Amino acid sequence: MLLAIPKGEFQERQQKFFHKLTEKNCDAAVIFSVTDIFYLTGFHFHPTERPIGLFIDPSQKVHLFLPALEHEHAEEYGIVDHVHSYPEYPGIKHPMEYLKELLLQYGFENKTVGYDSLGYGSSMGYRGQSIDQMITVKEFVSLKWVIEEMRYVKSDKEIELIKESCRWGNLAHRLLQKYTKAGLSEIEITSKASMEATMAMIETLGSEYKPHGQTAYAIFRGQIGPESAFPHAVTQNLVLRKGDTLVTGAAADVFGYKSELERTMFVEEVSKEQEKYFQHMYEAQDVALSAIKPGIPYSAVEATVQKYFKEAGITELTSHHTGHNIGLLGHEAPFFDLGDHTEIKPGMVVTVEPGIYVKGIGGFRHSDTVLVTDSGIEMLTYYPRDLNSLIC
């Protein structure tokens, strides 16, 4: 199996984007989103203080704009018509001055120009002009969310890559559970499981495998014992104790595509109270999985789960929505939330993860990666969900 998006699919994405530009009456476009640049061109890079952008000229040619240190890299991997580079940032001449010259050279002046952002953004010290201060155009039209919406429904190839991610997340989680013992620290356990899974992964998949992200990993992310009652706890190198509630996570990136597998586990024994909340979480996830079908809004799934929580009398123990789309980012829109009325469609890949959080006892959350089909769903993650299978 080819562990990458083929060149032809990137070119199809560009053609679809050109069509979106026509719908928006745009003659040209400038894109700064790292994820969207990769989605359209296959060029994966690490953004820094040095500005990187993509622009589509009025003749529908695709251009990458980047620092010289990325020039050969982009020519090797970017599926584009032209690569342009500047010496360095901040440099004697600011990179945005080079971009301005290019936009004028390729006919952006007095055109209708679409954009996802009016300027490059970075938390690494970057400062620079926005494009509306640089050139005179007929009109600037926001393209925010346009490419993100193109990413909602996954192609067959994208689904293959996500399934491959799920397989290696499953192995990493199996090893995590194998090495989970009272008296060991979370970093010791997760490091061992993640490294072993990664070595198996790269030996099996060979040189064609490109993560474009993280290799196989399994983590607790600090959700150990009472700390697991914080939905997004952080690693504190805690030592596991008998009776601890654990919330896990495992996955692997495959050509940038992600999956999500989370389980609630217990160290050696489970109290009646832990079992009660585990069962509520388990049933809430079943409710959500049963509710997902094409043609209904995301909000309807959340409403069904909230109805279950209310009837069980545990609404006050919940603190987040039921899930979200997943793909090139770990969290993508749309969301299973009361405020998101996006229609569920076949080919969307989602996470399903209703959670319950009890102070002093812990958090209770499974997460599974699920494909929406014509008739319902296909579970892409397949790690055991039942209580007895999750006592370490």
Side-chain angles (χ1 to χ4, degrees):
M1 182 182 78
L2 175 68
L3 295 173
I5 299 296
K7 179 179 180 180
E9 186 163 325
F10 284 112
Q11 293 170 329
E12 289 172 6
R13 293 172 179 180
Q14 292 173 13
Q15 290 298 319
K16 289 178 182 177
F17 184 57
F18 298 158
H19 182 68
K20 296 288 185 183
L21 292 181
T22 301
E23 289 178 347
K24 295 276 190 179
N25 296 315
C26 291
D27 302 305
V30 181
I31 302 296
F32 289 106
S33 164
V34 174
T35 304
D36 291 342
I37 290 172
F38 175 70
Y39 182 78
L40 290 177
T41 71
F43 177 56
H44 183 268
F45 60 92
H46 300 289
T48 67
E49 70 278 5
R50 302 171 180 92
I52 290 180
L54 175 77
F55 65 90
I56 314 296
D57 70 29
S59 64
Q60 296 188 339
K61 297 297 183 183
V62 182
H63 305 249
L64 277 171
F65 173 75
L66 35 70
L69 62 84
E70 293 278 17
H71 192 108
E72 292 182 354
H73 183 200
E75 287 187 326
E76 179 72 22
Y77 293 105
I79 299 167
V80 297
D81 297 298
H82 303 284
V83 176
H84 310 277
S85 60
Y86 57 87
E88 181 58 298
Y89 171 84
I92 297 172
K93 179 177 175 180
H94 193 281
M96 282 302 175
E97 289 298 318
Y98 289 98
L99 179 59
K100 174 182 177 179
E101 291 171 0
L102 287 167
L103 297 182
L104 293 174
Q105 177 185 339
Y106 285 95
F108 277 63
E109 195 169 30
N110 298 319
K111 296 294 195 298
T112 299
V113 177
Y115 67 93
D116 65 343
S117 171
L118 284 172
Y120 180 73
S122 171
S123 60
M124 298 185 181
Y126 171 78
R127 297 182 183 183
Q129 282 185 308
S130 57
I131 56 175
D132 60 330
Q133 297 173 315
M134 294 162 35
I135 59 173
T136 301
V137 303
K138 181 179 179 181
E139 183 183 4
F140 280 107
V141 175
S142 175
L143 300 176
K144 195 171 180 63
W145 303 304
V146 167
I147 302 173
E148 181 181 52
E149 290 175 2
M150 288 174 59
R151 298 184 354 238
Y152 281 3
V153 174
K154 304 299 188 284
S155 69
D156 290 344
K157 191 66 200 180
E158 289 177 297
I159 292 166
E160 281 184 18
L161 297 175
I162 293 170
K163 286 181 175 180
E164 192 69 25
S165 169
C166 291
R167 293 186 189 102
W168 297 103
N170 193 80
L171 173 62
H173 200 288
R174 177 61 63 194
L175 293 168
L176 180 80
Q177 185 166 356
K178 175 182 177 181
Y179 298 135
T180 294
K181 306 290 181 188
L184 299 181
S185 75
E186 63 168 310
I187 292 178
E188 179 181 357
I189 297 165
T190 59
S191 296
K192 185 174 183 180
S194 299
M195 178 58 73
E196 191 171 325
T198 292
M199 292 307 297
M201 184 182 191
I202 61 176
E203 288 174 9
T204 302
L205 299 181
S207 61
E208 293 303 307
Y209 168 61
K210 294 178 177 62
H212 289 331
Q214 289 183 276
T215 51
Y217 66 90
I219 55 175
F220 299 114
R221 196 179 55 185
Q223 287 198 267
I224 294 170
E227 292 287 320
S228 64
F230 298 118
H232 283 181
V234 294
T235 299
Q236 298 187 37
N237 196 27
L238 298 174
V239 173
L240 276 60
R241 299 178 299 179
K242 183 177 181 180
D244 273 349
T245 304
L246 311 172
V247 181
T248 67
D253 286 19
V254 181
F255 203 72
Y257 285 86
K258 307 175 189 305
S259 61
E260 187 169 284
L261 166 65
E262 295 176 348
R263 289 293 181 263
T264 303
M265 303 198 307
F266 304 95
V267 180
E268 296 185 25
E269 63 183 20
V270 181
S271 70
K272 290 295 183 183
E273 200 167 16
Q274 286 171 314
E275 185 176 355
K276 177 181 73 173
Y277 292 119
F278 179 96
Q279 193 61 33
H280 277 310
M281 175 273 297
Y282 187 96
E283 290 174 5
Q285 194 188 33
D286 273 348
V287 165
L289 292 167
S290 298
I292 298 169
K293 54 181 63 68
I296 69 170
Y298 276 69
S299 54
V301 176
E302 178 69 7
T304 303
V305 174
Q306 290 299 324
K307 181 174 182 287
Y308 170 81
F309 286 147
K310 183 176 180 180
E311 291 174 350
I314 57 172
T315 299
E316 73 280 2
L317 301 178
T318 66
S319 56
H320 59 72
H321 49 229
T322 293
H324 49 80
N325 274 31
I326 192 168
L328 287 174
L329 296 174
H331 284 223
E332 296 186 342
F335 303 91
F336 290 120
D337 199 301
L338 296 177
D340 195 327
H341 306 299
T342 307
E343 180 185 343
I344 300 172
K345 295 181 180 179
M348 289 178 164
V349 179
V350 300
T351 70
V352 183
E353 48 179 315
I356 297 169
Y357 304 93
V358 187
K359 187 175 181 179
I361 297 175
F364 301 82
R365 184 182 70 246
H366 286 354
S367 181
D368 283 281
T369 302
V370 174
L371 170 67
V372 180
T373 66
D374 291 332
S375 58
I377 62 170
E378 177 187 345
M379 297 284 287
L380 301 186
T381 42
Y382 47 89
Y383 202 85
R385 296 170 56 233
D386 64 286
L387 178 62
N388 288 336
S389 296
L390 296 168
I391 300 173
C392 304

